[in-house]
Amino acid sequence: GNSITATHYVHSLIAGCTMLITTAAYAEVPNNPFRISGDVRLYSFSRNFTNSQLSNLHSTSLGGKVKIETSSRDGFGAALAAYFAQDIGLNNHDQNNKYINPLLMGTNYGIYVPGEAYVQYKSKDFLVRVGNQSIDIPWINPSDGFMIPNLYRGGVVAYSPTKSVHIEIDRIMQFKNRTSSGFDNNTLFYLPYAKPHFSGENSGATAIGMNFR
């Protein structure tokens, strides 16, 4: 069939810097049962096409993350996090959002979503974590280049018998794309703003790996 030959330029303008403010976690002290962390981001992203029938795309978003973790009690702990990305009046929503770059927050005016929500047991050598969480291994990672990272629902078991050896097993049941409102069984091929090649459900993923540092 016919194809369109296009040269496109990707311009990522980071106003100030991608991460404007990083709130350091509060130190764990005996009388403080919680640790709070987070960040604020202002991101402007444009994709310009030449010699093409495609429309130039642009989006600017203000957003961030707030995370609350319990202090470790005999190795047991829990965490909750929320994310948001908000249009601040610099985006062109004309003609059914045809000029909006959807990678920052879809084509909505804002996204406010729960993120991590997990319980864990962690010691010097061992980790078990169950729930909604960020996972960063090859092929399964946050892809945190924009406003909100990819997140995963499942369990992680990790063991480090020595300082140079790390063994990890990950079982993922559901996935939350960076611009979706919640977790589901769809794959990366399914995006809320595109016509996917495949939008069927799947049974998740299992990863087993060993890392020598």
Side-chain angles (χ1 to χ4, degrees):
N2 296 327
S3 62
I4 298 175
T5 301
T7 302
H8 69 273
Y9 302 91
V10 178
H11 304 286
S12 296
L13 170 63
I14 305 175
C17 60
T18 302
M19 189 175 296
L20 290 178
I21 302 173
T22 299
T23 304
Y26 293 121
E28 291 187 24
V29 295
N31 295 325
N32 182 12
F34 301 105
R35 183 171 57 187
I36 301 174
S37 62
D39 60 64
V40 176
R41 299 178 177 188
L42 178 62
Y43 205 128
S44 183
F45 184 86
S46 296
R47 177 167 288 164
N48 299 326
F49 298 90
T50 60
N51 302 321
S52 169
Q53 299 177 7
L54 301 175
S55 299
N56 293 339
L57 302 176
H58 173 78
S59 187
T60 296
S61 182
L62 175 68
K65 164 191 175 181
V66 176
K67 184 175 182 178
I68 301 175
E69 301 171 82
T70 63
S71 298
S72 178
R73 300 273 183 172
D74 299 322
F76 292 95
L80 292 172
Y83 296 84
F84 78 98
Q86 178 64 47
D87 184 341
I88 55 175
L90 300 178
N91 300 325
N92 185 354
H93 291 272
D94 292 342
Q95 300 183 43
N96 197 29
N97 300 314
K98 68 176 292 186
Y99 303 111
I100 298 293
N101 190 318
L103 293 176
L104 300 189
M105 55 186 182
T107 56
N108 298 314
Y109 284 85
I111 298 177
Y112 294 80
V113 295
E116 292 126 296
Y118 60 79
V119 294
Q120 69 176 20
Y121 172 78
K122 184 177 182 180
S123 66
K124 179 181 177 181
D125 304 324
F126 193 64
L127 169 69
V128 177
R129 178 180 292 160
V130 179
N132 303 339
Q133 57 192 292
S134 175
I135 296 177
D136 193 359
I137 59 175
W139 301 107
I140 301 172
N141 56 71
S143 298
D144 190 15
F146 297 100
M147 299 301 295
I148 300 173
N150 294 327
L151 296 171
Y152 304 89
R153 175 172 290 167
V156 172
V157 177
Y159 176 55
S160 299
T162 69
K163 292 182 178 180
S164 59
V165 177
H166 179 79
I167 304 169
E168 183 169 321
I169 301 174
D170 303 274
R171 177 65 179 122
I172 297 167
M173 308 303 296
Q174 291 187 318
F175 162 76
K176 193 190 89 62
N177 182 274
R178 57 167 70 98
T179 59
S180 63
S181 59
F183 292 81
D184 54 44
N185 294 337
N186 289 317
T187 73
L188 279 170
F189 293 102
Y190 180 85
L191 299 174
Y193 46 79
K195 295 180 179 179
H197 291 292
F198 173 73
S199 61
E201 294 186 346
N202 65 74
S203 58
T206 300
I208 302 174
M210 179 181 294
N211 182 28
F212 296 93
R213 302 184 178 120

